[in-house]
Amino acid sequence: MSDSPKRPRIVRNDYRALHPPTSGDWSPSLAVSVVVPAYGGQGELDLVLAALAAQSYPSELMEVVVVDDNSTPPLRLPELRPEHTRLVVTTGESWGSAHAVNTGVNHADGQVVLRLDADMVAYRDHVEAQMRWHHAADYLAVLGHKRFVEWEPGRFTPEQVHEKVLAGEAAALFAVEDAKPHWVENVIADTAGLVQHHPGIFRVFVGATNSVHRDFFKTVGGLDTDLRLGSDTEFAYRLAQAGAVFVPETTSSAWHLGMPQMVQKWDEGRHQRVPYIAQRVPLHGMRRTAPARAWRVPLLDMVVEVGDAAAADVDACVAPVLAGPDGDVRITLVTGQGPAPQDRASILAGEGAQQRLIEEAYDAEARVRVAAEAPAPDPAVPYRLLLPRPVPLRANSIGKLLAAMERADAGLVLAALPDAPPARLERTAAFARARHITGDSGLDQVVAGIWGAARYDGLAAREAEPTVYEPGPPDAARRLARRLFDARQRARLRALLRR
C-alpha cells in the first residue's frame, strides 16, 4: 500500500519533513470546527467570538460550536460572532471541560477540530496558522501559542476587539512585556521546537488552543469524562500512543484573559491531579518516583508463550520482574489451551500438572493473568515485550532492555535469546503510527523507517535466580547461624538485623 498524501512518513517527532502551505498564499480545502467549551463568563465569551469573527480562514470553511456546560444564567450568542456559530448545551449526566469538549466534537461538522478556551482572544490568522499543518498530514496534534494577561472585565468591547483583530493588530491589545508565557514554551525550547523526540513530549498538548483531525480525535476516543482534572494531559498521552506528531505553531498567538488556576494554585492543583494522571499515564514524570506497584495502565505488557514449560521455569522468568524495580508491568502467560483440568482422573494421571501449578502460583497476583491466547496490543500501554518462551530474568532485566530502547530511540528492539527466536520489545506509538500510515502489512519495516530498530544481547540470565520452586542453597552465613544457634535464637537474630 502506498502512502497517502495525508500520511507521509514522519520520523519520530521531526515534523520538519512536512511542507505546509505559506499563510496567506494558499487555497484551504479542509473545514474546521472551533469548539469553545464554556461555563459562565459571558463577557469574555463575547470577546472570543468577536475575534473569531475576524479570522483570516475562509468563513465558509469554519464553524464555531459553543458548548454551554449548564451555566447559570445560561450563555447566549452575541450579535457579533462568526457566520456559522451554534450554541449547544450539555446534558445533565456529566459536567466538566472533558464532557463539554466531547459534546462539541459530537456536534461538529468540520474535518478538523480546534479547541479554544472561552477566555482566549485569537489573532487574525490563529485558525489559519494551525490549519496549514493539517493540510499536510492527518495525524498531527497542533499546539497553538498564547500569552496570559491580567484581565479586568469591561476593558474592551467586542467591537474594539473585532476591529483590532480584523486589522491584524491583535498584538497591540496588551503589552507583551506584561504577559506571561505558558510553561510549555520551556519544553518546546528544550527539545528544539519538539523536533527532538522525548517519550513525555505529549505533555505540551495541554490547555486550549490546539487542534487535531476529527477522525483522529474519535479514533483515540475523545477526552475521559471521568477525569474532572487532568483530562487534557491524559488525552494528549493517548494521542501520542496512537502515533500523533506534536507540532508547536508559534507564528500566530492568542491572549488568555486572566491567569489560569494551575498558575495561581500550582501545588494544590498538582496534588489534586497526581493520582488520576499517575494511574493512567505511565510515561508522565509523576510515576518516576513511585515504587513499583499495580497501576490501572502499566508501563509494560509482557507476554510469555508458556507452552509446555515447567512451572519452575515460568517462575524464574516472572518472579524477578514482579519483585524488582521493573514491577510496573502486566504479564500474560499464554498456555495455548484452556484452564488445566481439575478432575480426579487428571490429577492422578498428572495431566496438566505444570499448568495447574502455574495457575495456582499466580492466582492472587493482580499483575499476572493466564490466558489461552495472546491478547491484542493495548493502545494505552507504551511498551510491549513478547517472549517466545520463558527465560530466566534478573530483577533489572526489563529496565535495562527499556533503557537500551530509549538510548537508540527505537520503535522496535529484538533481544537475542538462547535456543529461541528473539524477544520483541515494541513501542506502541511507533506501531500505531505505522498502522495508520500503511495498514497492517510490513509493520516492522515501516517502524524501522520512522522510528528505528535495534538489537540487544543479555536479556536472559545465565542462571535462574532462587524461586519458590528452587530456593537455592543457604549461604555461608546462614549455615554458620544454624550451627551456632537454635531456631528461637536465629529468629531473634533476624529481627535484630532488620532494625
Side-chain angles (χ1 to χ4, degrees), residues 9 37 40 60 114 122 128 170-171 182 189 215 221 275 335 338 378 390 414 450 453:
R9 300 191 182 192
E60 65 272 15
L114 190 154
E128 180 183 358
H182 197 209
D215 287 346
T335 63
D378 187 338
L414 298 178
I450 64 174

Side-chain angles (χ1 to χ4, degrees), residues 4 7 11 100 111 122 174 198 225 237 240 248 266 292 341-342 350 362-363 371 391 397 400 432 437 454 478:
S4 162
R7 295 178 180 177
V11 177
Q111 294 146 293
F174 299 93
H198 182 278
T225 56
Y237 167 71
W266 174 259
Q342 300 287 345
Y362 296 105
D363 180 65
V391 294
S397 292
K400 288 186 174 181
I437 292 172
R478 187 172 298 177

Side-chain angles (χ1 to χ4, degrees), residues 234-250:
E234 193 271 341
F235 174 66
Y237 167 71
R238 282 187 283 118
L239 282 173
Q241 288 296 102
V245 172
F246 294 88
V247 178
E249 173 48 61
T250 58

